[in-house]
Amino acid sequence: MAPVSPGSNLAMFSVLQASGDFEIFLDRLPMPTPADTEVLVKILAAPVNPSDTLLMFESADPGKAEAFVRGDLPALRAKVAAEALPSLEGRIGDALPVGNEASGRVIEAGSAPEAQALLGKKVAVVGGAMYAGYRCLPAGACLALPDDVDVRDGASSFVNPMTAMGFLETARREGHRAIVHTAAASNLGLMLNRLCVADGIPLVNIVRSKEQADLLRREGATYALNSSDPDFGDQLADAIAETGSTIIFDAIAGGSLGGRVLSAMELNASRKMAEYSRYGSETLKQLYIYGRLDTSPIQLTHDYGFRWSVAGWLLTHFLASATGDLVAKMRARVASELTTTFASGYSHEITLEQALDPDVVAAYVARRTGEKYLITPHPAELGGRA
Amino acid sequence: MAPVSPGSNLAMFSVLQASGDFEIFLDRLPMPTPADTEVLVKILAAPVNPSDTLLMFESADPGKAEAFVRGDLPALRAKVAAEALPSLEGRIGDALPVGNEASGRVIEAGSAPEAQALLGKKVAVVGGAMYAGYRCLPAGACLALPDDVDVRDGASSFVNPMTAMGFLETARREGHRAIVHTAAASNLGLMLNRLCVADGIPLVNIVRSKEQADLLRREGATYALNSSDPDFGDQLADAIAETGSTIIFDAIAGGSLGGRVLSAMELNASRKMAEYSRYGSETLKQLYIYGRLDTSPIQLTHDYGFRWSVAGWLLTHFLASATGDLVAKMRARVASELTTTFASGYSHEITLEQALDPDVVAAYVARRTGEKYLITPHPAELGGRA
């Protein structure tokens, strides 16, 4: 492979061909030039989030992706199932840039004072097209980082922190006093746990292994249930009874876990009723599905009564429903607690080229506990961990 | 079996024993005496609705119910599955009276003018404990029927009419412009279809047979889709595209039909988007589940984007959320359109004793198309069809 020339910008794209093949590839673009109010950010660190791999592969199986060379750069090809094609019609032929968020350093700035003020600074950025060597952005879209912060710590300053706080705000405004979270040992889950500990919100963490439960308990979790335990049902019933939780944020989707928690919530609520009702309790039980770790069908049974709701939850929708003041408050909290409450850990650092290596892809889409990938387009400039 | 003595009141109850046996039985109670503002109604007709059989049997299988004699009156016993018992704890040992709604004649009245005004009148009533020979009720809870109305036509004046209008109001206030209804050839479905035709609301009826589709089309339905047709998927996509429907009221629950309609709605919405989004359309798709004709798990897939919601819908909850003015307007419309928009048909008239005959039970819980049961505690006084 030829090295990238100094004046070009390597960037990752995903395109769906009419044949049903996804092609995820790197391309060399001209180096962008910032407008007056813009800055040019040299991207140093960008996390691999589920929302990124969703854009790259949609429902195609990344485990079956085949490597090929496009121009002189690495690329991948993965087939989407024929029945999924109609819902993807809208993106056939469009090469979509990948990468939701990142951090880096401002190396060029437009003439406007707010742009000039950022020149040379480390910044955290969000807005798509971040799996690239460089990205032009409005100065107002950058969160300036203190100089002594490792730029890695700014890479996940938006999606996970805002999602974790979004869960809390959603629960608060809908009147729930305690939360259940599944797949709770993720970077997001650890943030949510720290937030709930800090704010005194009871949280029931559900994970799949003893190691994950231990990790959460070491971080102060009161409830860290292992769904593989033979007495998980009893543990769940007890945790629901003790916390009075009535809302679930679920990253798994497929299968019956979310519904099982709804059943436990209804059982707890119906035990507190003065009088039996054939229609179940008057307590609203809410299951929000924000991820798709299991793509098999969601299974719901019939023992929740009639006061229940299952719905999709998306950060973009939450932010659109929040006031500007609230969002500003949330952003300020992220900035001030970036290395504590909102700290992220990365097990692997990979280049843009490595991010398209089939073995590496198989590893990062597996989302194994404790494994989290960080794309570092310019590894030499990142240095060792600060 | 001994005949009922003139001074006693035969009434149906359902009790769950700690053993997990449901016992549905008749009992002789003392004849009730109306208080000042009350009237005594001789019950002449009471429909068998799903909400009634739910109270009688919950999740026990009525097809396996065994007849026995309690005192000298017929009774049934049906076992509930052990795993369903915890959620039914609250009703163990309580004999619950059965029968949501009915019609009859006021044969005695308290001294208050509003009670006296009803003496001798035909009335439609709601409030439980209607599977009985007689029922005492506040005068204000009675809907007076014109003398020339067959009392059978007043029997279903509450649950189905208010539910059909509740669907329309729910759709209106949540901003949906067209409705999908499943199991649409029921008495409720026919009412909803007449309401939508009258009010100009596009309605997509989904049924299971050609006969049911034909029935709805004869009543003016534009869309009556047979889910058994090999090209049902295409018919559904076309109907959703033509109506722009974004809300489903589903009586079936179990299986994948509701989810299939959500998929069709999302596909229609995503085709209208100017730009592709990996998170799906911005159109909220709402599936309300109000019945449980299929008690297998509800199956939801992952092609609805993130703007979707599946929730329970219950008439009681809707009424609690509606203004008094709206409810009064709805009741007035029922009264004035009882034999047109809100007409109900009954294929079988049975006595209270017959309602506990295992063969009859098997027939009415089967809810076959065109079959609807009416309990007539005093058949001799009902006369032929007016």
Side-chain angles (χ1 to χ4, degrees):
Chain A
M1 314 260 164
V4 182
S5 70
S8 78
N9 180 22
L10 199 62
M12 190 188 291
F13 293 87
S14 169
V15 64
L16 173 60
Q17 307 293 4
S19 60
D21 281 328
F22 267 99
E23 289 179 13
I24 304 100
F25 61 93
L26 296 175
D27 202 2
R28 273 188 207 92
L29 307 178
M31 183 69 76
T33 306
D36 284 358
T37 58
E38 287 185 336
V39 295
L40 178 65
V41 178
K42 185 168 195 173
I43 301 295
L44 296 176
V48 180
N49 285 324
S51 52
D52 298 311
T53 54
L54 176 63
L55 181 66
M56 290 165 74
F57 295 101
E58 298 279 2
S59 57
D61 183 354
K64 292 188 182 148
E66 283 174 24
F68 70 105
V69 175
R70 185 180 176 284
D72 57 348
L73 292 165
L76 284 176
R77 189 177 283 128
K79 202 164 214 38
V80 80
E83 60 269 26
L85 258 186
S87 65
L88 295 170
E89 246 175 35
R91 63 174 291 188
I92 290 175
D94 295 333
L96 304 179
V98 186
N100 269 317
E101 62 183 341
S103 58
R105 190 179 287 279
V106 174
I107 58 164
E108 210 182 314
S111 57
E114 69 268 28
Q116 285 294 319
L118 289 170
L119 194 56
K121 287 225 182 302
K122 293 176 182 173
V123 288
V125 286
V126 64
M130 296 298 175
Y131 290 180
Y134 303 86
R135 175 81 156 84
C136 243
L137 284 155
C142 299
L143 182 70
L145 300 172
D147 254 359
D148 60 350
V149 162
D150 190 305
V151 82
R152 294 172 181 88
D153 290 329
S156 294
S157 74
F158 193 83
V159 179
N160 280 342
M162 296 299 268
T163 299
M165 282 187 287
F167 289 173
L168 249 72
E169 285 299 328
T170 300
R172 266 180 197 145
R173 75 183 178 197
E174 296 180 6
H176 304 276
R177 66 180 190 198
I179 295 171
V180 176
H181 188 217
T182 69
S186 61
N187 267 346
L188 169 62
L190 295 174
M191 282 183 201
L192 182 64
N193 184 56
R194 284 180 223 124
L195 264 178
C196 285
V197 169
D199 292 8
I201 311 286
L203 173 69
V204 179
N205 295 286
I206 300 180
V207 295
R208 282 179 311 174
S209 73
K210 187 177 176 309
E211 290 65 37
Q212 294 171 328
D214 290 345
L215 169 63
L216 279 154
R217 274 196 215 95
R218 277 196 305 275
E219 294 223 13
T222 307
Y223 301 97
L225 315 186
N226 175 4
S227 60
S228 313
D229 280 351
D231 65 341
F232 169 67
D234 293 335
Q235 292 183 40
L236 179 63
D238 289 347
I240 299 292
E242 288 168 24
T243 58
S245 173
T246 46
I247 188 167
I248 312 150
F249 293 96
D250 177 40
I252 299 170
S256 59
L257 181 60
R260 222 174 141 182
V261 184
L262 286 177
S263 300
M265 289 174 171
E266 173 62 8
L267 188 55
N268 181 52
S270 67
R271 282 188 169 145
K272 291 182 181 149
M273 292 171 75
E275 207 178 314
Y276 173 82
S277 163
R278 79 194 92 167
Y279 302 117
S281 76
E282 288 299 308
T283 305
L284 175 65
K285 299 150 298 283
Q286 177 71 53
L287 167 59
Y288 279 120
I289 294 176
Y290 74 92
R292 293 175 192 172
L293 291 177
D294 181 342
T295 56
S296 71
I298 301 164
Q299 309 252 3
L300 303 173
T301 55
H302 305 276
D303 49 356
Y304 322 145
F306 277 86
R307 284 260 198 224
W308 59 272
S309 166
V310 180
W313 193 98
L314 187 67
L315 179 58
T316 321
H317 296 163
F318 168 76
L319 292 174
S321 76
T323 62
D325 271 4
L326 175 61
V327 174
K329 224 174 77 182
M330 291 165 69
R331 291 297 279 152
R333 185 167 184 181
V334 177
S336 72
E337 301 176 24
L338 199 53
T339 57
T340 54
T341 313
F342 303 110
S344 295
Y346 304 96
S347 57
H348 295 77
E349 297 185 359
I350 55 175
T351 62
L352 282 167
E353 290 86 347
Q354 287 169 330
L356 294 186
D357 177 312
D359 293 338
V360 176
V361 170
Y364 65 67
V365 297
R367 292 177 202 129
R368 284 184 282 262
T369 313
E371 291 200 1
K372 180 83 181 177
Y373 282 70
L374 190 68
I375 295 180
T376 60
H378 308 279
E381 289 180 50
L382 194 61
R385 180 79 192 156
Chain B
M1 314 261 164
V4 183
S5 69
S8 78
N9 181 22
L10 200 63
M12 189 188 290
F13 294 87
S14 169
V15 64
L16 174 59
Q17 307 294 3
S19 61
D21 280 329
F22 267 100
E23 290 178 12
I24 305 101
F25 61 93
L26 296 176
D27 202 1
R28 275 190 206 90
L29 307 178
M31 182 70 77
T33 306
D36 283 0
T37 57
E38 289 186 334
V39 295
L40 179 66
V41 179
K42 186 168 195 172
I43 302 293
L44 296 175
V48 180
N49 285 325
S51 52
D52 299 310
T53 54
L54 175 63
L55 181 66
M56 291 165 73
F57 295 101
E58 298 278 2
S59 56
D61 183 354
K64 291 187 183 149
E66 284 175 23
F68 71 105
V69 175
R70 186 180 177 283
D72 58 346
L73 293 165
L76 283 176
R77 190 176 283 127
K79 201 163 212 40
V80 80
E83 60 269 25
L85 257 186
S87 66
L88 294 169
E89 245 175 35
R91 63 174 289 186
I92 290 175
D94 295 334
L96 304 179
V98 186
N100 268 319
E101 61 182 342
S103 59
R105 190 180 287 280
V106 175
I107 57 164
E108 211 181 314
S111 57
E114 68 269 30
Q116 284 293 318
L118 289 170
L119 193 58
K121 288 226 184 301
K122 293 175 182 172
V123 289
V125 286
V126 65
M130 296 298 175
Y131 289 0
Y134 303 86
R135 175 80 157 83
C136 243
L137 285 154
C142 299
L143 182 71
L145 301 171
D147 254 358
D148 60 350
V149 162
D150 190 304
V151 82
R152 293 172 181 87
D153 289 329
S156 294
S157 73
F158 193 82
V159 179
N160 280 342
M162 296 299 268
T163 299
M165 281 187 289
F167 289 173
L168 250 70
E169 285 298 329
T170 300
R172 267 181 198 140
R173 75 183 177 195
E174 296 180 7
H176 304 276
R177 65 180 191 199
I179 295 171
V180 175
H181 188 218
T182 69
S186 62
N187 268 346
L188 168 62
L190 296 174
M191 281 182 201
L192 182 65
N193 185 56
R194 285 181 223 122
L195 265 177
C196 286
V197 169
D199 293 7
I201 312 286
L203 173 68
V204 179
N205 296 285
I206 300 179
V207 295
R208 281 178 312 173
S209 74
K210 187 178 177 309
E211 291 66 36
Q212 293 170 328
D214 290 344
L215 169 64
L216 279 154
R217 273 196 215 94
R218 278 197 306 274
E219 293 222 13
T222 307
Y223 301 97
L225 315 186
N226 174 4
S227 60
S228 313
D229 280 350
D231 65 340
F232 169 67
D234 293 335
Q235 292 183 40
L236 179 62
D238 289 347
I240 298 293
E242 287 168 25
T243 59
S245 174
T246 45
I247 188 168
I248 312 149
F249 293 95
D250 177 38
I252 299 171
S256 58
L257 181 60
R260 220 172 145 182
V261 184
L262 286 177
S263 301
M265 289 173 170
E266 173 63 9
L267 189 54
N268 183 52
S270 67
R271 280 187 170 145
K272 289 179 181 149
M273 292 170 75
E275 206 178 314
Y276 171 80
S277 163
R278 78 193 92 168
Y279 302 117
S281 78
E282 287 300 307
T283 304
L284 175 65
K285 299 149 300 279
Q286 176 71 54
L287 167 58
Y288 279 120
I289 294 176
Y290 75 92
R292 295 175 191 174
L293 291 177
D294 182 340
T295 56
S296 70
I298 301 164
Q299 310 251 3
L300 303 173
T301 55
H302 304 274
D303 49 356
Y304 322 146
F306 278 84
R307 284 259 198 225
W308 59 273
S309 165
V310 180
W313 194 97
L314 187 67
L315 179 57
T316 321
H317 296 164
F318 168 76
L319 292 174
S321 75
T323 63
D325 271 3
L326 175 61
V327 174
K329 224 173 80 180
M330 290 164 71
R331 292 295 281 152
R333 185 168 184 181
V334 177
S336 72
E337 300 176 25
L338 199 53
T339 57
T340 53
T341 312
F342 302 110
S344 293
Y346 303 97
S347 56
H348 295 79
E349 297 185 358
I350 54 175
T351 62
L352 282 168
E353 290 86 348
Q354 287 169 330
L356 294 186
D357 178 310
D359 292 338
V360 177
V361 170
Y364 65 67
V365 298
R367 293 179 201 128
R368 284 184 282 262
T369 312
E371 292 200 1
K372 180 83 180 177
Y373 282 69
L374 190 68
I375 295 180
T376 60
H378 308 279
E381 288 179 52
L382 195 63
R385 181 80 195 156

